[in-house]
Amino acid sequence: MTRTPSFTFHEYPICDDGCGPYDIAMGADGALWLTLIHHGQIGRLTPTGHITRFSVEGAKGLSRIISGPDGALWFTEFKSHRVGRMTLDGRVSSFPIPGEGGPYGITGGPDGALWFTLLNNDRIGRLAPDGELREYPLPTQGGYPSAIVTGPDGALWFTLNQTNALGRMTLDGTVTLFPLPTPSAAPVGATAGPDAIWFVEIIAGQIGRMAMDGTVTEFPLPHRDAKPHAIVAGMDGTFWFTEWGGNRVGRITGTGAIQLYDLPTPASEPHGLTLGPDGAIWIALEKGRVARLEPLRQ
């Protein structure tokens, strides 16, 4: 399974090979915003390829980034234990997280707050617009909560990489866990569909779909050693995912049909990806590039 003529690739150089674009999000200004995990910077990439980089003082392990409910960019700093906020003109505010929790996944909740996972201490954090911080413990030990998204039911859904489950948390902190059928599947990335949560199993080499009642359907990838990393909803009821181990990006339909696209640069280490307003898929490549998978005009 390889790239078909209906799509074309273009790559934008961002920085040297070691800077590490890790995650990518579409901003309220129509630009793409990136975490440069190894340089402690946030990058802004215009659709025409112009890059601006903003330093985040003291940042270590810049991880996930989203466009928040307030139009600013919100991001996690796994190693410096902070949640950060950047305005569209590059001004930064930092919110320290007590302890050694390691914030990683982040999403905007239906209550206007930012919700995030704490990899190292089995908790979900909530940061209110006024800066108030709360943490909710999970009924796990060493679960490694990773991605977090707001589901179509208004609850927070998150992957538990080492517990091999997905979790659901209501806004009052009530948690329900849903084990996965494949042992040691190691779920990581997740995204919300109109009626389900879609997620990737990095060790099992599968894409998963969890209905709101906890029913799981798993779709094996053609290459079980592909190490899928992140997943995002497309515009046409499909979902796109990165294969970190296979140097590919993939597309899966709601019924499980899979199409794979080889990335042009060898060993480019694809991680986060996002959907552009024109239907293009933008992919963060840790080897200093961003790729655009663009649908050809008919």
Side-chain angles (χ1 to χ4, degrees):
M1 292 188 180
T2 55
R3 179 162 51 96
T4 70
S6 58
F7 289 88
T8 186
F9 275 106
H10 184 80
E11 287 190 355
Y12 299 88
I14 301 300
C15 46
D16 60 75
D17 284 355
C19 76
Y22 185 79
D23 198 19
I24 185 167
M26 177 62 63
D29 57 351
L32 290 306
W33 291 78
L34 320 161
T35 52
L36 304 181
I37 189 170
H38 301 306
H39 279 189
Q41 295 176 329
I42 300 294
R44 179 185 184 273
L45 179 68
T46 67
T48 58
H50 178 73
I51 183 71
T52 306
R53 293 188 283 172
F54 301 95
S55 293
V56 181
E57 185 176 357
K60 296 179 182 178
L62 286 168
S63 301
R64 297 297 188 182
I65 187 168
I66 63 166
S67 181
D70 57 355
L73 287 309
W74 290 81
F75 50 91
T76 53
E77 303 176 28
F78 172 66
K79 292 184 179 180
S80 43
H81 308 291
R82 300 185 305 196
V83 171
R85 176 184 184 272
M86 179 174 284
T87 60
L88 297 178
D89 59 0
R91 290 175 292 155
V92 177
S93 304
S94 292
F95 301 88
I97 307 302
E100 301 293 317
Y104 180 74
I106 187 168
T107 190
D111 56 352
L114 284 306
W115 292 76
F116 55 94
T117 58
L118 292 166
L119 283 177
N120 294 337
N121 68 2
D122 293 297
R123 292 173 181 266
I124 301 296
R126 178 187 184 274
L127 185 62
D130 62 3
E132 179 190 8
L133 175 67
R134 295 190 64 180
E135 293 183 9
Y136 298 89
L138 301 177
T140 58
Q141 289 187 342
Y144 220 63
S146 304
I148 185 169
V149 296
T150 297
D153 57 351
L156 290 312
W157 289 79
F158 50 93
T159 54
L160 285 162
N161 180 261
Q162 295 301 300
T163 300
N164 203 50
L166 262 62
R168 178 184 184 272
M169 177 177 285
T170 60
L171 296 181
D172 64 359
T174 302
V175 177
T176 306
L177 300 185
F178 299 92
L180 300 182
T182 300
S184 303
V188 183
T191 193
D195 58 358
I197 304 299
W198 288 75
F199 57 96
V200 296
E201 300 175 357
I202 193 168
I203 299 301
Q206 299 185 137
I207 305 298
R209 178 189 185 275
M210 179 166 287
M212 294 296 92
D213 63 358
T215 302
V216 178
T217 307
E218 294 174 313
F219 303 97
L221 295 173
H223 307 277
R224 300 300 292 272
D225 60 351
K227 292 187 172 17
H229 184 268
I231 187 167
V232 68
M235 295 184 73
D236 54 357
T238 61
F239 297 85
W240 292 83
F241 56 92
T242 50
E243 290 189 350
W244 176 75
N247 202 50
R248 291 178 291 259
V249 62
R251 175 180 180 268
I252 185 169
T253 67
T255 58
I258 295 170
Q259 199 167 33
L260 299 179
Y261 303 84
D262 296 317
L263 291 166
T265 299
S268 59
E269 298 188 29
H271 289 295
L273 72 173
T274 194
L275 175 70
D278 59 353
I281 301 297
W282 294 78
I283 308 133
L285 309 176
E286 195 165 344
K287 293 298 184 180
R289 295 169 178 262
V290 167
R292 173 187 165 95
L293 181 63
E294 180 181 8
L296 292 177
R297 305 302 178 189
Q298 301 297 321

